[in-house]
Amino acid sequence: MEQYVGSPDSREDGGGGSSTSESEYQHALEVVFDEESGRRRKSSLVSSENPNLAQQAAKKQKTTSCFVHQLLEKTKKSRKGQPAISYNEDQYLDKASDTRDQAVHSRLLTKRQLSEMAIGVRELSKKLGSIRLKLKVKTIFLLTKAHDSDLIGLTRNVTEWLLSKERGTEYIVYVENTLEHNRKFDAKGLVSQDLSCEGRLKYWDNELCKRHPHLFDFAVTLGGDGTLLYASWLFQRIVPPVLSFALGSLGFLTKFDYADYQKTLSTAFEDGITVSLRLRFEATIMRTQTAHEDGKHDLVEELIGDEAENNLTHKPDGSYTILNDIVVDRGPNPTMSSTELFMDEKFMTSILADGVCVATPTGSTAYNLAAGGSLCHPENPVILVTAICAHTLSFRPVILPDTVVLRAGVPYGARTSSWASFDGRERVELHPGDYVTISASRYPFANVMPQGSSSEDWICSISRTLNWNSRQKQKSFKEWEEQDLDEKSKSVEK
C-alpha cells in the first residue's frame, strides 16, 4: 500500500494520503540529544573548527536543516505526544548557512546518543522504503562528468527539458561552473533560444555545495557509481535526495535508464519518490601532540588509558563523510604497514598487512569485495573491517555494529608511516602516533530508488554486474528403466 507525504495544497485538494505536510520536512526542525556523561576521549571532543564546541555542545541544543533529521524529529515528537517545532523560511536559511561551523560530529556523541541516532535512522529508512515522498521541488542540482564530451551533450538535453516552459514549474537548475563556457554545452545558446531560462540557469562550485547545501531541493546525476560518490563527497553533511541515471560501467547505485529521463523526472516530481537511506561514515584524522623520539610512548596506552585534563595527546585535523570506504594502507612504502585497531575504548587487534579497509554496506561491493570481504545488503546497520593482504593466515573479515566507534592508528614504533584515503579521495599521510576515528555519520545519503523491493533490486545488481553465483545448472541423473536392466544382464551373461 502506497502512502504519500504531500504538500498542504495536496491535502486541501484531497489528493494526499497523509496528514504530514510538506513544510514538516522543508523547514528546519530541532534535533535534541539528551545530555549523558558517556565516556569519550578528551582529544576526540575537541573540534578543529572551534575548540570550544565540545563544551558548548553539552549545554546547547543543536539544530539542523537536513530533511532526514527533520523527519526523525517529527517521528520522535509524535511518539512523545509533543508538537513539532518549525521555523519560518528566513530563520531556516540563516541557520542552514551556519551548519558548517555549528555541526556536531559523530565522535562527540555518547554511546547512548550514537545508538539512538543509528536506531532512529534505521526506523526512518524502513518507513521511507514503503512510502512515497512528494517533494515540492524548485531548485535542482545537476551533476555529470564534466570531462566526458558525450555526457555534456546529454546534460544539456536534461537542462533544456527542465528549463522549458512546458514543465509548468519554473525550475532553477544548477550545473557545474566548468560548463558555463563549454562550447558543447552552449549555455548562451540555451538561454537565447528561450528567454524565460534567463536567471534560472545557474552554476555551482565546491564551495557553494559546502556552505549552502540547503539551496538544493533535489539532485540529479548523469554518470556511473563514481559520479554518485562525487555527489556524496560534495555534500559532506546535508544531502538532497539524489536520483541517478545509469551512464557508467557497472551501476550498483545508478538505478534509472537515461532513455526514460523525461518520464522518470516527471513521475518523481508529480507522484513522489521512494528513498533509500544509505549509511555513511564520518572519519576524523587525529594528530599526535606528543614527542616520541624517546620511544617510550605507546598508542594503545594513550587511547585506552586516562587523559590528563590539560595534556591532550591528540588533536583533530579534518573530518570527512564517506559513502563507500575508508582505507588505511602502506601508500608508496615498499614494506607492509602496521595498524592498531580499537573498538570504542578497547584495543581490538594489531594488523600487519598492506592495509585495512573499513567499509559501509554500500561499499561492500567495492574495495572491500576485492580484498576478500563479505557482500552486505545496504540496509544492514553494520561496519565491515577487512585486511588487505594480511601477513597472517588467521585474519578474517569482521562485521561490527554501526553503533561502535573505530580507531585505526599507526603505532609509535612503526617502521613507516601509513596513508588514509576517503572514498578514494583526499589521500592523507598518517605519521606514527596518528590515528583515524570512524563512526556512523548523522547524515545518511538519500538515494532515490525505483518502485519495488530493494532486496530484489540488490540481488539483481550483484547478479548482473558481478555474475554472482553464476554457473551451469547441474545435470540430473538419468533413471534406469527395466529395458536397460534387461539389456545389461544379457550382456553380462554373454
Side-chain angles (χ1 to χ4, degrees):
M1 178 179 179
E2 290 184 345
Q3 300 180 17
Y4 290 84
V5 180
S7 64
D9 296 335
S10 64
R11 281 207 324 276
E12 292 173 2
D13 296 337
S18 171
S19 60
T20 306
S21 69
E22 182 271 338
S23 61
E24 289 168 349
Y25 57 81
Q26 286 289 354
H27 294 278
L29 300 179
E30 185 177 14
V31 179
V32 181
F33 292 107
D34 297 329
E35 295 182 11
E36 181 192 341
S37 57
R39 189 169 184 268
R40 281 287 184 269
R41 290 187 56 74
K42 298 181 180 64
S43 293
S44 297
L45 295 176
V46 178
S47 170
S48 57
E49 295 90 355
N50 183 357
N52 297 321
L53 181 60
Q55 299 177 359
Q56 297 172 2
K59 300 179 181 179
K60 295 184 179 181
Q61 297 173 343
K62 299 298 179 183
T63 61
T64 176
S65 58
C66 177
F67 92 102
V68 172
H69 290 91
Q70 295 161 16
L71 291 174
L72 279 172
E73 184 64 10
K74 172 63 179 176
T75 304
K76 180 180 178 181
K77 290 185 178 296
S78 64
R79 289 200 302 263
K80 293 183 177 181
Q82 300 176 359
I85 301 174
S86 62
Y87 298 91
N88 61 43
E89 188 69 14
D90 293 336
Q91 290 174 321
Y92 166 58
L93 294 177
D94 290 341
K95 287 184 178 293
S97 63
D98 293 331
T99 54
R100 176 175 172 269
D101 296 327
Q102 297 297 325
V104 178
H105 295 281
S106 295
R107 70 176 189 276
L108 303 179
L109 304 179
T110 64
K111 181 70 174 179
R112 178 181 175 183
Q113 290 171 342
L114 194 60
S115 299
E116 289 180 350
M117 180 270 293
I119 293 172
V121 172
R122 290 176 212 160
E123 292 178 351
L124 178 59
S125 181
K126 291 180 180 179
K127 293 180 180 179
L128 291 180
S130 59
I131 67 173
R132 299 177 72 177
L133 288 173
K134 192 172 183 181
L135 305 178
K136 186 177 180 181
V137 178
K138 179 69 175 178
T139 304
I140 301 172
F141 174 89
L142 204 56
L143 174 63
T144 189
K145 297 178 183 178
H147 60 274
D148 192 318
S149 177
D150 293 336
L151 292 186
I152 291 176
L154 300 180
T155 303
R156 190 184 192 280
N157 295 339
V158 175
T159 304
E160 183 178 6
W161 184 83
L162 288 171
L163 294 174
S164 174
K165 297 178 181 178
E166 299 177 0
R167 301 289 75 77
T169 301
E170 293 187 347
Y171 294 117
I172 299 173
V173 180
Y174 278 83
V175 298
E176 193 170 355
N177 57 356
T178 56
L179 298 179
E180 183 174 5
H181 303 292
N182 185 281
R183 291 183 179 181
K184 188 162 187 176
F185 187 77
D186 189 19
K188 292 183 178 179
L190 192 63
V191 174
S192 62
Q193 69 184 18
D194 187 354
L195 296 180
S196 66
C197 299
E198 190 173 0
R200 293 194 290 123
L201 178 60
K202 300 185 178 183
Y203 305 94
W204 60 262
D205 57 17
N206 292 9
E207 196 64 22
L208 180 66
C209 298
K210 184 178 181 180
R211 292 185 175 274
H212 304 286
H214 61 279
L215 291 177
F216 311 109
D217 302 318
F218 199 79
V220 177
T221 69
L222 288 81
D225 292 338
T227 307
L228 189 67
L229 288 174
Y230 185 43
S232 173
W233 183 261
L234 289 172
F235 297 100
Q236 285 286 291
R237 298 195 182 280
I238 300 169
V239 187
V242 180
L243 188 150
S244 303
F245 290 106
L247 291 168
S249 302
L250 290 179
F252 282 103
L253 303 175
T254 52
K255 303 298 183 182
F256 296 92
D257 187 0
Y258 175 81
D260 301 324
Y261 78 86
Q262 297 182 6
K263 179 181 178 182
T264 300
L265 292 176
S266 297
T267 302
F269 298 154
E270 296 171 7
D271 300 335
I273 58 175
T274 299
V275 174
S276 171
L277 295 184
R278 299 293 184 111
L279 170 68
R280 295 202 294 177
F281 289 162
E282 179 187 285
T284 303
I285 298 172
M286 304 294 291
R287 299 292 187 186
T288 180
Q289 299 297 297
T290 58
H292 53 276
E293 289 80 2
D294 54 5
K296 296 181 179 180
H297 294 281
D298 186 355
L299 186 63
V300 176
E301 291 183 359
E302 286 189 353
L303 294 194
I304 67 176
D306 292 329
E307 217 172 5
E309 185 69 29
N310 298 320
N311 185 25
L312 302 181
T313 61
H314 293 79
K315 181 180 179 181
D317 185 28
S319 293
Y320 307 93
T321 302
I322 60 96
L323 179 61
N324 254 8
D325 49 44
I326 298 158
V327 177
V328 179
D329 59 35
R330 62 190 178 96
N333 300 314
T335 59
M336 60 184 174
S337 64
S338 177
T339 307
E340 290 182 336
L341 199 63
F342 302 81
M343 184 175 66
D344 287 335
E345 301 298 331
K346 296 181 180 179
F347 174 70
M348 189 173 175
T349 187
S350 294
I351 303 174
L352 288 175
D354 278 354
V356 59
C357 174
V358 182
T360 66
T362 298
S364 69
T365 53
Y367 202 160
N368 169 79
L369 180 63
S374 302
L375 286 172
C376 183
H377 193 282
E379 292 182 2
N380 285 329
V382 296
I383 299 174
L384 296 96
V385 181
T386 305
I388 305 169
C389 298
H391 198 245
T392 59
L393 296 176
S394 58
F395 192 98
R396 290 292 180 268
V398 293
I399 300 177
L400 305 172
D402 64 348
T403 55
V404 303
V405 176
L406 288 180
R407 292 175 176 84
V410 183
Y412 284 106
R415 295 182 179 182
T416 61
S417 60
S418 295
W419 293 75
S421 61
F422 310 88
D423 273 349
R425 297 178 178 272
E426 202 68 28
R427 201 155 172 79
V428 178
E429 185 175 9
L430 299 178
H431 302 282
D434 297 341
Y435 67 91
V436 179
T437 66
I438 305 167
S439 59
S441 172
R442 299 176 61 237
Y443 300 91
F445 186 84
N447 191 29
V448 178
M449 302 291 292
Q451 297 297 319
S453 172
S454 60
S455 296
E456 293 178 3
D457 180 76
W458 183 73
I459 293 296
C460 290
S461 293
I462 62 175
S463 299
R464 171 177 52 85
T465 57
L466 299 176
N467 291 324
W468 175 71
N469 199 32
S470 177
R471 56 153 288 171
Q472 290 183 348
K473 187 176 181 180
Q474 189 177 35
K475 295 180 179 180
S476 59
F477 290 119
K478 183 179 179 181
E479 296 290 341
W480 285 94
E481 298 179 359
E482 291 186 9
Q483 183 178 357
D484 296 329
L485 291 172
D486 292 340
E487 292 179 356
K488 185 177 181 180
S489 60
K490 290 179 181 179
S491 62
V492 171
E493 291 177 357
K494 292 180 180 179

